[in-house]
Amino acid sequence: MINIGPVARPQFTNKLVVFLAATAAALLAMYLFWSFESSVRALLEQRMGANPSPSPDTIISIVKLILIGSLGYLFVRGLNFLFFGLAFRFKRIDAPTLIRNIFTIVAFTIFFLIAFTFLFPGINLGALFTTSAIFGVILGLALQDTLGNFFAGISLQADRPFQVGDVITVGAERHMGVVEEISWRAIKIRTFTNHVVLIANSNAAREPIEVCPRDNLNARLVFFNTLYSDSPAKTIHVVREAVREAENVSTKVPPVVRIRDLGDNGVDYEVKYWLDDYAKFNDTDALVRQRIWYAFRRAGLNFAYPTRTLYVDRHSAGTPGDGGALVERLSAVDIFAPLSIEETGMLAQAAVRHVFAPGEMVIREGDPGSSMFVVHNGRVRVQVNENGRPRTVATLNEGDFFGEMALFTGEPRTANVVALEETEVLEIGYAAMKQVFDTNPNLVESLSFIMAERRQGLAPQPDTDTESTHSSKSLMSAIKRFFGLSQ
Ligand code: CMP
């Protein structure tokens, strides 16, 4: 991978060599000037005539002030390094650039004022500053922006809304990058195309700033879609598993996959994931999309593309090609075992397929009902309300059936039936059942027996064979009556 991080800074030793060389040069210059001061004065007096203005003494003092000032500047830089560079590091604290700059400015100003009073004892600096209104105006105008930046920088340091290493997005222009420095003048950020952007502190103070702190779990959203024929429960599971293992996706919070919209071309999803290192979100987004693509391939899921779907609704499950699977499913249901292949085929033709999401209710206790269901794929739970709390009485798997009680007796539904996972059921209505009972009345007997057993499970009752046979018989005659069969 190409490293687009900040360019390496000059080595510490290089800086030290430059610093020492500059100090030596300043000292040498001072030594030479002080040694040849009288010769320089004589030369100036000779060149400048009788009443020179400014006087040679003033010129010499100004040069001295410049030389002392240079040395003073180097001295302050040295102090700055000793204090912030070494002492702070020793305590493992990184001093903010702005604080270092303020230190340099204040220390140098004090040094300069002392040198000035020493070299120009006749000039009262206080009076000069207070009486010079023009000086004040000029200074104020010249420093307007600088002071604005300076004070905005101070407030940034005080508030600390972000720090070096955080990813920020600033203003309407949406400058986004990693903060590299917050100085007395500007915030320096490195964009994800390795450009450096400087944002003046006073601008930053006026603009909205979005901050993604470095030591925070920042999230991203990646969008994708599937065809309507792909199951949401499967898609959500497949994508969550694919994304959670991608590099830089935090293991602290599992990714969230959810449907955003039922779009024109397909089901629109988003996956929300949290990053260990937010500064690498571009790479991680790309990796997440790649993982989704491969996971789709393996799971047989399909991305949606602009399509127009033409449905011919035959209002039945009997789509050509899968009729065989339905007949197979229904003939494996124990109560339909006595049926011939033609009779089972009749039921399969009449059956209507429904898919329920995990947690969805297929049947609600107390509702009227005139159909029964066979679990084709998935699992359901049968629950009854007991003193306002649900009690599970059974879990039904593929090939099991439910909803027969209301269908065969005309009474309201006796329990809630809830999908435990994505579940496909086959619904069989009264008309289809009547047709089957007419051709195969033996079915009523086996059905009545199972229904009697289920009824016993609904309410605590004495569980004896005699009771069960008794209620099975009364159910059988109830069913025969309800379906108009001979007793
Ligand atoms: P119905 O009363 O139409 O609707 C709720 C269904 O839950 C009911 O038919 C039965 O099919 C099913 N049911 C009720 N009790 C049990 C049980 N103990 N075991 C399995 N299924 C049951």
Side-chain angles (χ1 to χ4, degrees):
M1 191 189 289
I2 301 165
N3 181 7
I4 58 158
V7 182
R9 291 173 182 283
Q11 292 283 312
F12 166 75
T13 40
N14 288 357
K15 279 185 167 179
L16 190 66
V17 168
V18 171
F19 175 77
L20 291 176
T23 312
L27 283 171
L28 182 67
M30 281 178 74
Y31 171 75
L32 289 175
F33 192 75
W34 258 261
S35 308
F36 294 101
E37 185 184 336
S38 46
S39 323
V40 174
R41 182 177 288 108
L43 191 73
L44 286 172
E45 280 166 357
Q46 188 192 352
R47 287 276 169 93
M48 293 174 79
N51 279 323
S53 175
S55 69
D57 278 346
T58 309
I59 294 175
I60 285 175
S61 295
I62 289 174
V63 175
K64 278 184 175 174
L65 186 64
I66 291 170
L67 288 173
I68 293 176
S70 316
L71 193 68
Y73 175 72
L74 289 167
F75 175 69
V76 168
R77 289 293 300 264
L79 265 185
N80 189 319
F81 171 73
L82 279 180
F83 187 58
F84 293 107
L86 293 183
F88 265 64
R89 287 272 154 81
F90 187 65
K91 294 219 151 210
R92 296 191 184 282
I93 308 168
D94 232 349
T97 317
L98 186 69
I99 305 281
R100 297 183 71 153
N101 288 344
I102 292 175
F103 172 84
T104 307
I105 292 168
V106 170
F108 182 70
T109 311
I110 292 171
F111 188 94
F112 185 83
L113 291 178
I114 292 171
F116 190 91
T117 357
F118 174 71
L119 289 168
F120 300 95
I123 300 178
N124 182 349
L125 266 182
L128 186 74
F129 279 114
T130 44
T131 52
S132 175
I134 295 174
F135 178 78
V137 171
I138 292 172
L139 197 69
L141 284 175
L143 294 183
Q144 203 176 22
D145 283 349
T146 314
L147 287 177
N149 286 330
F150 181 74
F151 286 113
I154 289 180
S155 90
L156 277 179
Q157 292 291 350
D159 281 358
R160 287 195 155 259
F162 51 81
Q163 294 176 34
V164 170
D166 293 351
V167 174
I168 62 168
T169 312
V170 186
E173 316 254 310
R174 298 202 61 76
H175 292 299
M176 181 189 232
V178 183
V179 178
E180 281 201 341
E181 193 178 82
I182 308 164
S183 72
W184 62 273
R185 200 187 75 74
I187 302 162
K188 182 174 165 190
I189 62 173
R190 190 167 290 271
T191 69
F192 295 110
T193 42
N194 205 24
H195 301 160
V196 172
V197 177
L198 293 168
I199 301 150
N201 289 340
S202 52
N203 287 347
R206 277 193 295 270
E207 302 277 8
I209 303 178
E210 183 185 329
V211 183
C212 301
R214 189 172 44 170
D215 51 3
N216 178 54
L217 269 185
N218 300 294
R220 292 282 299 170
L221 291 174
V222 168
F223 305 115
F224 63 96
N225 61 10
T226 65
L227 291 182
Y228 271 105
S229 50
D230 290 331
S231 128
K234 180 175 173 183
T235 307
I236 288 169
H237 174 75
V238 164
V239 172
R240 195 192 303 120
E241 291 310 304
V243 172
R244 76 190 316 166
E245 276 157 22
E247 195 186 322
N248 197 29
V249 171
S250 172
T251 47
K252 292 182 191 139
V253 190
V256 175
V257 186
R258 55 195 172 201
I259 296 180
R260 293 177 62 225
D261 195 13
L262 299 174
D264 288 345
N265 304 313
V267 184
D268 296 330
Y269 291 86
E270 67 186 15
V271 49
K272 180 177 183 182
Y273 71 91
W274 284 262
L275 292 103
D276 287 330
D277 181 356
Y278 190 75
K280 292 186 185 151
F281 74 80
N282 276 324
D283 288 338
T284 316
D285 278 3
L287 183 64
V288 161
R289 291 188 191 103
Q290 195 195 69
R291 289 288 165 91
I292 293 175
W293 190 93
Y294 281 106
F296 266 39
R297 256 292 163 93
R298 285 193 301 275
L301 295 168
N302 305 281
F303 291 105
Y305 40 84
T307 47
R308 187 159 293 247
T309 313
L310 183 65
Y311 281 107
V312 181
D313 190 355
R314 299 172 60 197
H315 197 67
S316 82
T319 44
D322 71 354
L326 295 193
V327 173
E328 206 176 308
R329 162 66 66 224
L330 293 182
S331 45
V333 178
D334 43 6
I335 52 159
F336 298 139
L339 300 185
S340 68
I341 188 80
E342 288 77 22
E343 288 163 345
T344 317
M346 227 160 57
L347 275 186
Q349 271 248 307
V352 182
R353 282 168 106 139
H354 302 283
V355 182
F356 289 86
E360 259 195 299
M361 203 170 277
V362 185
I363 279 182
R364 193 181 301 275
E365 188 177 342
D367 280 359
S370 58
S371 57
M372 64 172 286
F373 301 85
V374 172
V375 181
H376 191 33
N377 293 303
R379 270 177 332 132
V380 296
R381 173 182 287 159
V382 183
Q383 288 178 324
V384 285
N385 274 319
E386 230 172 54
N387 305 325
R389 305 180 75 185
R391 176 170 71 91
T392 300
V393 293
T395 302
L396 305 178
N397 299 304
E398 285 174 13
D400 290 337
F401 66 94
F402 58 92
E404 77 294 343
M405 293 195 184
L407 169 64
F408 297 143
T409 60
E411 287 168 11
R413 299 291 190 192
T414 54
N416 288 328
V417 180
V418 182
L420 279 177
E421 55 198 58
E422 188 181 82
T423 301
E424 191 177 9
V425 294
L426 308 176
E427 183 178 16
I428 300 167
Y430 180 92
M433 233 27 244
K434 172 144 177 55
Q435 214 178 352
V436 171
F437 280 148
D438 285 341
T439 52
N440 205 329
N442 292 341
L443 200 59
V444 179
E445 193 173 343
S446 57
L447 255 172
S448 317
F449 191 72
I450 292 172
M451 280 171 63
E453 274 189 340
R454 284 186 170 183
R455 278 200 168 177
Q456 276 191 325
L458 286 177
Q461 284 174 10
D463 187 11
T464 62
D465 277 357
T466 358
E467 285 266 350
S468 168
T469 322
H470 176 71
S471 66
S472 153
K473 285 215 169 111
S474 57
L475 265 172
M476 192 157 72
S477 45
I479 294 173
K480 284 186 172 166
R481 244 193 333 275
F482 193 55
F483 278 82
L485 304 171
S486 58
Q487 296 281 343

